[in-house]
Amino acid sequence: ESQTQQQQQQQQHQEKGEEEKESRVEELNLSRSKDEMPTSGDENPRGTSGLGKEGGPVESGKGGSVEGAPTEGGAAEEGGNGEEIEYGDETLEGKFEDEIDVKDDALIKFTEHKGPVHCVCVNSDVSLALSGDQEDMALLWDVKTGKVVRELKGHKDTVVDASWNNDESAYATASMDGTIRVYKPNGKVKVLKGPETEIYWFRWHRKGPVIIAGCGDGTMWMWHAMTGKCMQVFAGHSDVVSCGSFSQNGRLAVSGSYDKKAIVWSPKSGEQLHKLEAIGLRGYHTAPLTCITVHHSKPIMVTGAEDGSAWICSLSREASKPLKELKEHKQSVEAAEFSKILDWVFTASADGTIIVSDISTGEVRSKIELQGAVTRALWHPKAPAIYTSGTDALVQLWDARNGTLVRELRGHSDTILALAVSNDGAWVLSAGDDGTCAVFDIKSGAGKLTKTSNESVKDDAGSPTGEKKEQDGKQKNDK
């Protein structure tokens, strides 16, 4: 009887052990079905074996393979098998978020900045770039290798602007700390001081070592960049001088302000020559000015404002006045520029549109629409095309004749704040809120669209105009 009882106890123990083992296996399988995601190569994805949409059986040959990317709400887009498979939000966020392959068209990614990069420029032979960030630092770096050439320390606030002078014998950086630092050919630094408030921008004179800069106290200053001597202080605005420039021949200077006015100055005497403002029936901006661009050869300029208005104005010592209003935008005009090959000007707005207009008539030639707000825009130097950047983190190249998208360049994960283009239009540099700068080589085919309505969109210089004969013919027709 004792032996029989022992055998019964052993049998009960074995049966209990088998039950516990089976229970653990079921728990493990359940855990795996929750944690492991199916892949497009699985014939029977884990957790969906034998089940199709809405919990029904999978049809023969469809096996539950997943080709469409999940969409909001947990549903996958229609894949190659015509089926739609749903996944919960928890699975989507937990498994796919870190596995997304973000396309990057940048030839070089410069990552040495420690915060958002507010300005970038490139020299004429595309060997060096200059950029400044929100952490008070400017860097000179090699475009081809992405290596730092020189750390430009000394500023005590955000570096908002940077550029070379006309002959590239010197370069300078401007900061919200109220100073401009000029770096000479001998390596020495000259600090331009004077304003007791922020500097928002600066411009080099086209023929000499002279700089003007707009300040937060309503003044515009002018220095001799090599000696640091203050040459003029232009006082006439009642608010921030947000934009400005020298005229095409360098004999005039113009400033635009949040006080809704533009003033034309004599750099030599400091005299105020003309004030452009809305008085009575004479139309002009009724909102703070945001940008001014001066034509490279004609005595005209375009001014833009926060309310979306833009004006083509004459710019001369004898008469500077508003000529034509451009009324197409609904939000702030962030940039404007004249084409160097056609009598066109574009205005770019935070409403996501770019309007290309005829200088003589003001007639709209084309309209470009972006997915987000436009932050920067520049003409291609040798073609009727426009480079843009925006809050969508994309650099895009558009055919200005018809508004067609030609290239789309990815390399940032946040808003792009600055843009620079080489003299031949084949290299593009961008800087953004993500703390990086990107270098794009258009000649390599970066960002080229697989489908476009414009089939003649490539040549060795990155021009979107195709054959030279075709380009010449179209330019004649446009004129």
Side-chain angles (χ1 to χ4, degrees):
E1 290 177 354
S2 178
Q3 290 178 351
T4 301
Q5 290 177 356
Q6 289 179 357
Q7 290 175 356
Q8 289 176 350
Q9 289 176 357
Q10 289 176 358
Q11 185 176 358
Q12 290 175 358
H13 182 73
Q14 290 176 355
E15 290 176 353
K16 185 177 181 180
E18 290 294 331
E19 290 176 357
E20 292 177 353
K21 183 177 180 181
E22 290 175 1
S23 177
R24 288 197 299 269
V25 170
E26 289 178 358
E27 291 176 358
L28 181 59
N29 288 337
L30 180 60
S31 176
R32 286 178 177 174
S33 68
K34 290 182 177 180
D35 293 339
E36 296 184 9
M37 289 294 298
T39 63
S40 58
D42 292 335
E43 286 189 18
N44 290 302
R46 297 183 182 92
T48 60
S49 179
L51 293 177
K53 185 179 178 182
E54 301 295 334
V58 175
E59 296 180 18
S60 175
K62 295 186 178 179
S65 63
V66 182
E67 292 184 8
T71 60
E72 184 177 357
E77 294 179 1
E78 186 176 4
N81 56 14
E83 289 292 316
E84 188 176 79
I85 300 177
E86 297 182 355
Y87 295 98
D89 290 340
E90 180 181 357
T91 304
L92 171 63
E93 296 177 0
K95 293 298 178 182
F96 277 179
E97 185 175 0
D98 295 334
E99 298 174 9
I100 295 175
D101 183 18
V102 179
K103 182 181 178 183
D104 195 334
D105 298 304
L107 178 67
I108 295 292
K109 201 68 169 291
F110 184 70
T111 60
E112 298 300 318
H113 286 286
K114 306 303 181 184
V117 186
H118 287 257
C119 55
V120 67
C121 60
V122 63
N123 64 353
S124 59
D125 64 2
V126 199
S127 61
L128 294 172
L130 184 60
S131 52
D133 64 34
Q134 190 170 299
E135 301 302 317
D136 317 340
M137 176 66 75
L139 297 172
L140 182 70
W141 48 281
D142 189 302
V143 172
K144 302 302 191 296
T145 66
K147 294 182 178 179
V148 175
V149 175
R150 184 177 181 182
E151 290 188 353
L152 309 175
K153 300 178 181 180
H155 286 301
K156 299 178 181 179
D157 206 335
T158 301
V159 179
V160 294
D161 206 352
S163 67
W164 273 271
N165 64 350
N166 189 52
D167 62 5
E168 297 188 351
S169 61
Y171 53 90
T173 58
S175 170
M176 298 291 280
D177 65 8
T179 67
I180 296 174
R181 301 177 69 84
V182 180
Y183 297 85
K184 302 180 181 181
N186 59 10
K188 293 185 178 180
V189 181
K190 177 62 66 174
V191 180
L192 310 183
K193 298 180 180 180
E196 296 181 355
T197 184
E198 303 91 344
I199 289 179
Y200 285 80
W201 57 269
F202 78 92
R203 296 289 182 272
W204 288 94
H205 193 279
R206 300 188 182 190
K207 298 181 179 179
V210 176
I211 285 176
I212 56 172
C215 304
D217 61 359
T219 62
M220 182 171 71
W221 288 59
M222 184 170 74
W223 296 268
H224 190 287
M226 297 299 108
T227 65
K229 179 182 177 181
C230 176
M231 301 172 69
Q232 297 289 353
V233 177
F234 305 98
H237 291 290
S238 60
D239 208 336
V240 172
V241 178
S242 55
C243 49
S245 179
F246 283 109
S247 63
Q248 79 283 0
N249 57 16
R251 296 176 183 174
L252 300 174
V254 59
S255 59
S257 171
Y258 287 173
D259 66 6
K260 310 172 188 176
K261 302 177 181 66
I263 299 178
V264 180
W265 308 87
S266 167
K268 186 175 182 179
S269 66
E271 177 187 0
Q272 178 178 307
L273 301 177
H274 304 284
K275 180 181 288 188
L276 285 67
E277 59 182 327
I279 300 178
L281 298 178
R282 187 173 72 184
Y284 196 55
H285 296 293
T286 57
L289 270 66
T290 54
C291 62
I292 288 178
T293 184
V294 173
H295 197 278
H296 54 279
S297 61
K298 298 180 179 181
I300 56 175
M301 64 179 177
V302 166
T303 58
E306 284 186 357
D307 62 356
S309 64
W311 282 85
I312 299 176
C313 309
S314 61
L315 178 61
S316 67
R317 188 178 183 88
E318 292 74 25
S320 295
K321 59 183 180 180
L323 299 176
K324 298 179 182 66
E325 185 177 9
L326 309 175
K327 301 180 179 180
E328 298 296 325
H329 297 297
K330 298 178 180 179
Q331 295 182 34
S332 175
V333 176
E334 297 298 308
E337 189 178 20
F338 291 98
S339 169
K340 292 184 178 180
I341 63 172
L342 296 171
D343 286 334
W344 293 355
V345 63
F346 75 69
T347 53
S349 170
D351 63 12
T353 64
I354 295 177
I355 305 298
V356 180
S357 304
D358 187 282
I359 295 174
S360 301
T361 65
E363 177 187 355
V364 175
R365 303 305 300 260
S366 66
K367 182 177 181 180
I368 297 169
E369 296 184 81
L370 281 71
Q371 294 298 316
V374 183
T375 55
R376 292 290 184 271
L378 295 169
W379 278 104
H380 189 295
K382 298 181 180 298
I386 300 170
Y387 284 105
T388 65
S389 65
T391 56
D392 56 7
L394 297 174
V395 175
Q396 295 173 309
L397 177 63
W398 305 82
D399 190 326
R401 298 167 298 182
N402 52 31
T404 301
L405 179 61
V406 178
R407 299 282 180 97
E408 186 169 272
L409 303 163
R410 298 176 183 270
H412 291 278
S413 60
D414 207 339
T415 299
I416 297 174
L417 302 176
L419 201 61
V421 178
S422 63
N423 290 339
D424 62 358
W427 294 86
V428 183
L429 280 73
S430 56
D433 249 338
D434 59 6
T436 69
C437 298
V439 179
F440 302 101
D441 179 7
I442 305 302
K443 293 183 294 184
S444 69
K448 183 179 178 181
L449 301 180
T450 55
K451 294 182 180 180
T452 176
S453 60
N454 183 1
E455 296 298 332
S456 59
V457 293
K458 68 174 183 177
D459 64 15
D460 290 339
S463 169
T465 58
E467 298 289 340
K468 186 177 187 304
K469 292 182 180 179
E470 182 181 354
Q471 175 183 354
D472 293 342
K474 289 186 177 181
Q475 286 183 13
K476 289 179 181 178
N477 290 337
D478 288 335
K479 288 184 179 180

